[in-house]
PDB file of all heavy atoms in Angstrom:
ATOM      1  N   THR A   1     110.976  -1.351 174.191  1.00  0.00           N
ATOM      2  CA  THR A   1     110.709   0.034 174.499  1.00  0.00           C
ATOM      3  C   THR A   1     109.312   0.386 174.126  1.00  0.00           C
ATOM      4  O   THR A   1     108.827  -0.130 173.071  1.00  0.00           O
ATOM      5  CB  THR A   1     111.741   0.932 173.766  1.00  0.00           C
ATOM      6  OG1 THR A   1     113.004   0.588 174.171  1.00  0.00           O
ATOM      7  CG2 THR A   1     111.438   2.435 174.069  1.00  0.00           C
ATOM      8  N   HIS A   2     108.622   1.151 175.010  1.00  0.00           N
ATOM      9  CA  HIS A   2     107.321   1.633 174.752  1.00  0.00           C
ATOM     10  C   HIS A   2     107.331   3.171 174.401  1.00  0.00           C
ATOM     11  O   HIS A   2     108.010   3.909 175.062  1.00  0.00           O
ATOM     12  CB  HIS A   2     106.375   1.455 175.987  1.00  0.00           C
ATOM     13  CG  HIS A   2     106.009   0.078 176.229  1.00  0.00           C
ATOM     14  ND1 HIS A   2     106.935  -1.014 176.288  1.00  0.00           N
ATOM     15  CD2 HIS A   2     104.763  -0.524 176.408  1.00  0.00           C
ATOM     16  CE1 HIS A   2     106.356  -2.150 176.617  1.00  0.00           C
ATOM     17  NE2 HIS A   2     105.016  -1.858 176.590  1.00  0.00           N
ATOM     18  N   ALA A   3     106.595   3.597 173.403  1.00  0.00           N
ATOM     19  CA  ALA A   3     106.527   4.919 173.077  1.00  0.00           C
ATOM     20  C   ALA A   3     105.023   5.408 173.335  1.00  0.00           C
ATOM     21  O   ALA A   3     104.142   4.822 172.955  1.00  0.00           O
ATOM     22  CB  ALA A   3     106.821   5.226 171.545  1.00  0.00           C
ATOM     23  N   LEU A   4     104.977   6.512 174.033  1.00  0.00           N
ATOM     24  CA  LEU A   4     103.606   7.052 174.403  1.00  0.00           C
ATOM     25  C   LEU A   4     103.487   8.319 173.607  1.00  0.00           C
ATOM     26  O   LEU A   4     104.396   9.178 173.473  1.00  0.00           O
ATOM     27  CB  LEU A   4     103.516   7.444 175.832  1.00  0.00           C
ATOM     28  CG  LEU A   4     103.729   6.343 176.881  1.00  0.00           C
ATOM     29  CD1 LEU A   4     103.769   6.931 178.240  1.00  0.00           C
ATOM     30  CD2 LEU A   4     102.712   5.295 176.800  1.00  0.00           C
ATOM     31  N   SER A   5     102.344   8.477 172.877  1.00  0.00           N
ATOM     32  CA  SER A   5     102.072   9.630 172.114  1.00  0.00           C
ATOM     33  C   SER A   5     100.628  10.175 172.585  1.00  0.00           C
ATOM     34  O   SER A   5      99.725   9.406 172.940  1.00  0.00           O
ATOM     35  CB  SER A   5     102.095   9.466 170.626  1.00  0.00           C
ATOM     36  OG  SER A   5     101.179   8.392 170.218  1.00  0.00           O
ATOM     37  N   PHE A   6     100.526  11.482 172.744  1.00  0.00           N
ATOM     38  CA  PHE A   6      99.376  12.108 173.285  1.00  0.00           C
ATOM     39  C   PHE A   6      98.754  13.020 172.142  1.00  0.00           C
ATOM     40  O   PHE A   6      99.446  13.879 171.602  1.00  0.00           O
ATOM     41  CB  PHE A   6      99.697  12.984 174.471  1.00  0.00           C
ATOM     42  CG  PHE A   6     100.384  12.138 175.524  1.00  0.00           C
ATOM     43  CD1 PHE A   6     101.883  11.984 175.492  1.00  0.00           C
ATOM     44  CD2 PHE A   6      99.739  11.468 176.554  1.00  0.00           C
ATOM     45  CE1 PHE A   6     102.396  11.257 176.456  1.00  0.00           C
ATOM     46  CE2 PHE A   6     100.365  10.755 177.489  1.00  0.00           C
ATOM     47  CZ  PHE A   6     101.724  10.656 177.479  1.00  0.00           C
ATOM     48  N   LYS A   7      97.474  12.746 171.857  1.00  0.00           N
ATOM     49  CA  LYS A   7      96.817  13.523 170.843  1.00  0.00           C
ATOM     50  C   LYS A   7      95.381  13.535 171.129  1.00  0.00           C
ATOM     51  O   LYS A   7      94.714  12.553 171.307  1.00  0.00           O
ATOM     52  CB  LYS A   7      97.078  13.057 169.449  1.00  0.00           C
ATOM     53  CG  LYS A   7      96.538  13.913 168.349  1.00  0.00           C
ATOM     54  CD  LYS A   7      96.969  13.340 166.993  1.00  0.00           C
ATOM     55  CE  LYS A   7      96.302  14.236 165.873  1.00  0.00           C
ATOM     56  NZ  LYS A   7      96.631  13.674 164.601  1.00  0.00           N
ATOM     57  N   ASP A   8      94.726  14.768 171.063  1.00  0.00           N
ATOM     58  CA  ASP A   8      93.303  14.943 171.268  1.00  0.00           C
ATOM     59  C   ASP A   8      92.758  14.233 172.537  1.00  0.00           C
ATOM     60  O   ASP A   8      91.682  13.557 172.506  1.00  0.00           O
ATOM     61  CB  ASP A   8      92.562  14.408 170.038  1.00  0.00           C
ATOM     62  CG  ASP A   8      92.957  15.188 168.812  1.00  0.00           C
ATOM     63  OD1 ASP A   8      93.167  16.408 168.845  1.00  0.00           O
ATOM     64  OD2 ASP A   8      92.855  14.486 167.673  1.00  0.00           O
ATOM     65  N   GLY A   9      93.543  14.332 173.580  1.00  0.00           N
ATOM     66  CA  GLY A   9      93.056  13.751 174.883  1.00  0.00           C
ATOM     67  C   GLY A   9      93.270  12.286 174.943  1.00  0.00           C
ATOM     68  O   GLY A   9      92.885  11.646 175.913  1.00  0.00           O
ATOM     69  N   GLN A  10      93.786  11.686 173.906  1.00  0.00           N
ATOM     70  CA  GLN A  10      94.086  10.237 173.993  1.00  0.00           C
ATOM     71  C   GLN A  10      95.542   9.899 174.068  1.00  0.00           C
ATOM     72  O   GLN A  10      96.406  10.677 173.758  1.00  0.00           O
ATOM     73  CB  GLN A  10      93.571   9.605 172.560  1.00  0.00           C
ATOM     74  CG  GLN A  10      92.073   9.784 172.335  1.00  0.00           C
ATOM     75  CD  GLN A  10      91.160   9.129 173.393  1.00  0.00           C
ATOM     76  OE1 GLN A  10      91.433   7.998 173.676  1.00  0.00           O
ATOM     77  NE2 GLN A  10      90.218   9.827 173.889  1.00  0.00           N
ATOM     78  N   VAL A  11      95.788   8.727 174.669  1.00  0.00           N
ATOM     79  CA  VAL A  11      97.177   8.199 174.833  1.00  0.00           C
ATOM     80  C   VAL A  11      97.310   6.938 173.958  1.00  0.00           C
ATOM     81  O   VAL A  11      96.476   6.089 173.983  1.00  0.00           O
ATOM     82  CB  VAL A  11      97.492   7.852 176.274  1.00  0.00           C
ATOM     83  CG1 VAL A  11      98.891   7.319 176.315  1.00  0.00           C
ATOM     84  CG2 VAL A  11      97.171   8.935 177.199  1.00  0.00           C
ATOM     85  N   ARG A  12      98.345   6.958 173.145  1.00  0.00           N
ATOM     86  CA  ARG A  12      98.582   5.835 172.251  1.00  0.00           C
ATOM     87  C   ARG A  12      99.875   5.238 172.736  1.00  0.00           C
ATOM     88  O   ARG A  12     100.868   5.936 172.872  1.00  0.00           O
ATOM     89  CB  ARG A  12      98.623   6.292 170.795  1.00  0.00           C
ATOM     90  CG  ARG A  12      98.841   5.178 169.855  1.00  0.00           C
ATOM     91  CD  ARG A  12      98.688   5.545 168.374  1.00  0.00           C
ATOM     92  NE  ARG A  12      98.968   4.447 167.506  1.00  0.00           N
ATOM     93  CZ  ARG A  12     100.189   4.149 166.972  1.00  0.00           C
ATOM     94  NH1 ARG A  12     101.164   5.005 167.267  1.00  0.00           N
ATOM     95  NH2 ARG A  12     100.314   3.147 166.187  1.00  0.00           N
ATOM     96  N   VAL A  13      99.904   3.841 172.824  1.00  0.00           N
ATOM     97  CA  VAL A  13     101.217   3.160 173.169  1.00  0.00           C
ATOM     98  C   VAL A  13     101.540   2.284 172.030  1.00  0.00           C
ATOM     99  O   VAL A  13     100.759   1.535 171.459  1.00  0.00           O
ATOM    100  CB  VAL A  13     100.933   2.253 174.408  1.00  0.00           C
ATOM    101  CG1 VAL A  13     102.202   1.510 174.861  1.00  0.00           C
ATOM    102  CG2 VAL A  13     100.414   3.076 175.638  1.00  0.00           C
ATOM    103  N   GLU A  14     102.848   2.435 171.694  1.00  0.00           N
ATOM    104  CA  GLU A  14     103.426   1.576 170.592  1.00  0.00           C
ATOM    105  C   GLU A  14     104.691   0.952 171.097  1.00  0.00           C
ATOM    106  O   GLU A  14     105.439   1.710 171.763  1.00  0.00           O
ATOM    107  CB  GLU A  14     103.659   2.403 169.311  1.00  0.00           C
ATOM    108  CG  GLU A  14     104.129   1.664 168.166  1.00  0.00           C
ATOM    109  CD  GLU A  14     104.278   2.539 166.899  1.00  0.00           C
ATOM    110  OE1 GLU A  14     104.455   3.693 167.005  1.00  0.00           O
ATOM    111  OE2 GLU A  14     104.294   1.846 165.796  1.00  0.00           O
ATOM    112  N   THR A  15     104.892  -0.280 170.797  1.00  0.00           N
ATOM    113  CA  THR A  15     106.078  -0.962 171.314  1.00  0.00           C
ATOM    114  C   THR A  15     106.991  -1.356 170.221  1.00  0.00           C
ATOM    115  O   THR A  15     106.561  -1.386 169.065  1.00  0.00           O
ATOM    116  CB  THR A  15     105.766  -2.252 172.114  1.00  0.00           C
ATOM    117  OG1 THR A  15     105.129  -3.241 171.165  1.00  0.00           O
ATOM    118  CG2 THR A  15     104.729  -2.013 173.193  1.00  0.00           C
ATOM    119  N   VAL A  16     108.248  -1.513 170.513  1.00  0.00           N
ATOM    120  CA  VAL A  16     109.257  -2.003 169.549  1.00  0.00           C
ATOM    121  C   VAL A  16     108.761  -3.293 168.845  1.00  0.00           C
ATOM    122  O   VAL A  16     108.841  -3.447 167.628  1.00  0.00           O
ATOM    123  CB  VAL A  16     110.622  -2.247 170.186  1.00  0.00           C
ATOM    124  CG1 VAL A  16     111.561  -2.941 169.299  1.00  0.00           C
ATOM    125  CG2 VAL A  16     111.182  -0.897 170.587  1.00  0.00           C
ATOM    126  N   ARG A  17     108.193  -4.234 169.665  1.00  0.00           N
ATOM    127  CA  ARG A  17     107.691  -5.497 169.147  1.00  0.00           C
ATOM    128  C   ARG A  17     106.673  -5.212 167.997  1.00  0.00           C
ATOM    129  O   ARG A  17     106.648  -5.903 167.051  1.00  0.00           O
ATOM    130  CB  ARG A  17     107.180  -6.423 170.215  1.00  0.00           C
ATOM    131  CG  ARG A  17     106.666  -7.752 169.646  1.00  0.00           C
ATOM    132  CD  ARG A  17     106.240  -8.724 170.782  1.00  0.00           C
ATOM    133  NE  ARG A  17     107.365  -9.254 171.492  1.00  0.00           N
ATOM    134  CZ  ARG A  17     108.228 -10.205 171.071  1.00  0.00           C
ATOM    135  NH1 ARG A  17     107.973 -10.766 169.950  1.00  0.00           N
ATOM    136  NH2 ARG A  17     109.222 -10.633 171.926  1.00  0.00           N
ATOM    137  N   GLU A  18     105.803  -4.264 168.319  1.00  0.00           N
ATOM    138  CA  GLU A  18     104.715  -4.000 167.291  1.00  0.00           C
ATOM    139  C   GLU A  18     105.322  -3.486 166.016  1.00  0.00           C
ATOM    140  O   GLU A  18     104.858  -3.800 164.961  1.00  0.00           O
ATOM    141  CB  GLU A  18     103.735  -3.011 167.853  1.00  0.00           C
ATOM    142  CG  GLU A  18     102.828  -3.536 168.974  1.00  0.00           C
ATOM    143  CD  GLU A  18     102.110  -2.404 169.653  1.00  0.00           C
ATOM    144  OE1 GLU A  18     102.457  -1.245 169.570  1.00  0.00           O
ATOM    145  OE2 GLU A  18     101.149  -2.836 170.315  1.00  0.00           O
ATOM    146  N   ARG A  19     106.311  -2.665 166.125  1.00  0.00           N
ATOM    147  CA  ARG A  19     106.910  -2.072 164.972  1.00  0.00           C
ATOM    148  C   ARG A  19     107.751  -3.109 164.129  1.00  0.00           C
ATOM    149  O   ARG A  19     107.742  -3.122 162.953  1.00  0.00           O
ATOM    150  CB  ARG A  19     107.883  -0.919 165.366  1.00  0.00           C
ATOM    151  CG  ARG A  19     107.150   0.272 165.909  1.00  0.00           C
ATOM    152  CD  ARG A  19     106.441   1.044 164.917  1.00  0.00           C
ATOM    153  NE  ARG A  19     107.435   1.751 164.082  1.00  0.00           N
ATOM    154  CZ  ARG A  19     107.062   2.438 163.108  1.00  0.00           C
ATOM    155  NH1 ARG A  19     105.839   2.596 162.731  1.00  0.00           N
ATOM    156  NH2 ARG A  19     108.000   3.090 162.398  1.00  0.00           N
ATOM    157  N   ARG A  20     108.484  -3.935 164.802  1.00  0.00           N
ATOM    158  CA  ARG A  20     109.371  -4.950 164.073  1.00  0.00           C
ATOM    159  C   ARG A  20     108.664  -6.186 163.677  1.00  0.00           C
ATOM    160  O   ARG A  20     109.078  -6.942 162.838  1.00  0.00           O
ATOM    161  CB  ARG A  20     110.604  -5.235 164.915  1.00  0.00           C
ATOM    162  CG  ARG A  20     110.296  -6.089 166.139  1.00  0.00           C
ATOM    163  CD  ARG A  20     111.652  -6.300 166.885  1.00  0.00           C
ATOM    164  NE  ARG A  20     111.367  -7.013 168.087  1.00  0.00           N
ATOM    165  CZ  ARG A  20     112.147  -7.156 169.107  1.00  0.00           C
ATOM    166  NH1 ARG A  20     113.318  -6.581 169.000  1.00  0.00           N
ATOM    167  NH2 ARG A  20     111.778  -7.792 170.228  1.00  0.00           N
ATOM    168  N   GLY A  21     107.431  -6.452 164.330  1.00  0.00           N
ATOM    169  CA  GLY A  21     106.619  -7.581 163.955  1.00  0.00           C
ATOM    170  C   GLY A  21     107.140  -8.907 164.469  1.00  0.00           C
ATOM    171  O   GLY A  21     108.139  -9.009 165.226  1.00  0.00           O
ATOM    172  N   GLU A  22     106.469  -9.923 164.111  1.00  0.00           N
ATOM    173  CA  GLU A  22     106.810 -11.344 164.432  1.00  0.00           C
ATOM    174  C   GLU A  22     107.736 -11.847 163.396  1.00  0.00           C
ATOM    175  O   GLU A  22     107.361 -12.213 162.258  1.00  0.00           O
ATOM    176  CB  GLU A  22     105.496 -12.247 164.599  1.00  0.00           C
ATOM    177  CG  GLU A  22     104.608 -11.711 165.621  1.00  0.00           C
ATOM    178  CD  GLU A  22     105.135 -11.822 167.058  1.00  0.00           C
ATOM    179  OE1 GLU A  22     106.030 -12.688 167.285  1.00  0.00           O
ATOM    180  OE2 GLU A  22     104.718 -11.080 167.918  1.00  0.00           O
ATOM    181  N   ARG A  23     108.978 -12.043 163.743  1.00  0.00           N
ATOM    182  CA  ARG A  23     110.017 -12.563 162.731  1.00  0.00           C
ATOM    183  C   ARG A  23     110.782 -13.652 163.411  1.00  0.00           C
ATOM    184  O   ARG A  23     110.824 -13.781 164.615  1.00  0.00           O
ATOM    185  CB  ARG A  23     110.881 -11.415 162.347  1.00  0.00           C
ATOM    186  CG  ARG A  23     110.109 -10.220 161.727  1.00  0.00           C
ATOM    187  CD  ARG A  23     110.947  -9.512 160.667  1.00  0.00           C
ATOM    188  NE  ARG A  23     110.155  -8.582 159.832  1.00  0.00           N
ATOM    189  CZ  ARG A  23     109.503  -7.565 160.216  1.00  0.00           C
ATOM    190  NH1 ARG A  23     109.467  -7.232 161.490  1.00  0.00           N
ATOM    191  NH2 ARG A  23     108.972  -6.787 159.350  1.00  0.00           N
ATOM    192  N   PRO A  24     111.452 -14.534 162.633  1.00  0.00           N
ATOM    193  CA  PRO A  24     112.132 -15.615 163.172  1.00  0.00           C
ATOM    194  C   PRO A  24     113.202 -15.295 164.165  1.00  0.00           C
ATOM    195  O   PRO A  24     113.526 -15.954 165.129  1.00  0.00           O
ATOM    196  CB  PRO A  24     112.844 -16.367 161.890  1.00  0.00           C
ATOM    197  CG  PRO A  24     111.974 -15.890 160.784  1.00  0.00           C
ATOM    198  CD  PRO A  24     111.465 -14.532 161.137  1.00  0.00           C
ATOM    199  N   TRP A  25     113.790 -14.068 164.042  1.00  0.00           N
ATOM    200  CA  TRP A  25     114.927 -13.627 164.917  1.00  0.00           C
ATOM    201  C   TRP A  25     114.383 -12.904 166.185  1.00  0.00           C
ATOM    202  O   TRP A  25     115.163 -12.578 167.032  1.00  0.00           O
ATOM    203  CB  TRP A  25     115.954 -12.848 164.163  1.00  0.00           C
ATOM    204  CG  TRP A  25     115.265 -11.640 163.520  1.00  0.00           C
ATOM    205  CD1 TRP A  25     115.128 -10.342 164.012  1.00  0.00           C
ATOM    206  CD2 TRP A  25     114.865 -11.568 162.152  1.00  0.00           C
ATOM    207  NE1 TRP A  25     114.534  -9.516 163.154  1.00  0.00           N
ATOM    208  CE2 TRP A  25     114.356 -10.229 161.973  1.00  0.00           C
ATOM    209  CE3 TRP A  25     114.845 -12.452 161.131  1.00  0.00           C
ATOM    210  CZ2 TRP A  25     113.873  -9.851 160.803  1.00  0.00           C
ATOM    211  CZ3 TRP A  25     114.262 -11.977 159.941  1.00  0.00           C
ATOM    212  CH2 TRP A  25     113.857 -10.715 159.746  1.00  0.00           C
ATOM    213  N   VAL A  26     113.150 -12.779 166.275  1.00  0.00           N
ATOM    214  CA  VAL A  26     112.470 -12.058 167.400  1.00  0.00           C
ATOM    215  C   VAL A  26     112.029 -13.144 168.449  1.00  0.00           C
ATOM    216  O   VAL A  26     111.424 -14.127 168.007  1.00  0.00           O
ATOM    217  CB  VAL A  26     111.208 -11.158 166.994  1.00  0.00           C
ATOM    218  CG1 VAL A  26     110.618 -10.608 168.272  1.00  0.00           C
ATOM    219  CG2 VAL A  26     111.653 -10.111 165.954  1.00  0.00           C
ATOM    220  N   LEU A  27     112.460 -13.003 169.693  1.00  0.00           N
ATOM    221  CA  LEU A  27     112.240 -14.050 170.666  1.00  0.00           C
ATOM    222  C   LEU A  27     110.714 -14.074 170.779  1.00  0.00           C
ATOM    223  O   LEU A  27     109.946 -13.179 170.720  1.00  0.00           O
ATOM    224  CB  LEU A  27     112.761 -13.622 172.039  1.00  0.00           C
ATOM    225  CG  LEU A  27     114.336 -13.599 172.053  1.00  0.00           C
ATOM    226  CD1 LEU A  27     114.840 -13.034 173.370  1.00  0.00           C
ATOM    227  CD2 LEU A  27     114.865 -14.969 171.751  1.00  0.00           C
ATOM    228  N   ALA A  28     110.252 -15.373 171.033  1.00  0.00           N
ATOM    229  CA  ALA A  28     108.756 -15.584 171.222  1.00  0.00           C
ATOM    230  C   ALA A  28     108.321 -14.979 172.455  1.00  0.00           C
ATOM    231  O   ALA A  28     109.138 -14.858 173.451  1.00  0.00           O
ATOM    232  CB  ALA A  28     108.570 -17.197 171.230  1.00  0.00           C
ATOM    233  N   ARG A  29     107.089 -14.567 172.501  1.00  0.00           N
ATOM    234  CA  ARG A  29     106.475 -13.908 173.684  1.00  0.00           C
ATOM    235  C   ARG A  29     106.266 -15.018 174.762  1.00  0.00           C
ATOM    236  O   ARG A  29     105.847 -16.020 174.441  1.00  0.00           O
ATOM    237  CB  ARG A  29     105.167 -13.294 173.385  1.00  0.00           C
ATOM    238  CG  ARG A  29     105.246 -12.135 172.430  1.00  0.00           C
ATOM    239  CD  ARG A  29     103.824 -11.593 172.199  1.00  0.00           C
ATOM    240  NE  ARG A  29     103.846 -10.822 171.024  1.00  0.00           N
ATOM    241  CZ  ARG A  29     103.152  -9.761 170.832  1.00  0.00           C
ATOM    242  NH1 ARG A  29     102.362  -9.350 171.793  1.00  0.00           N
ATOM    243  NH2 ARG A  29     103.282  -9.013 169.785  1.00  0.00           N
TER     244      ARG A  29
END
């Protein structure tokens, strides 16, 4: 999932993969 946030005219994208990080149980990209 991607989350979009809007602040001061900028758009920020954050993904579930970024939040949970690279872990052994996370499928490789």
Side-chain angles (χ1 to χ4, degrees):
T1 302
H2 287 55
L4 302 174
S5 54
F6 305 89
K7 184 176 180 181
D8 299 327
Q10 299 296 314
V11 181
R12 183 172 177 268
V13 179
E14 185 176 22
T15 68
V16 168
R17 180 173 290 279
E18 290 170 341
R19 294 285 287 174
R20 69 181 176 196
E22 299 293 333
R23 303 214 166 61
W25 55 86
V26 176
L27 295 175
R29 294 180 198 214

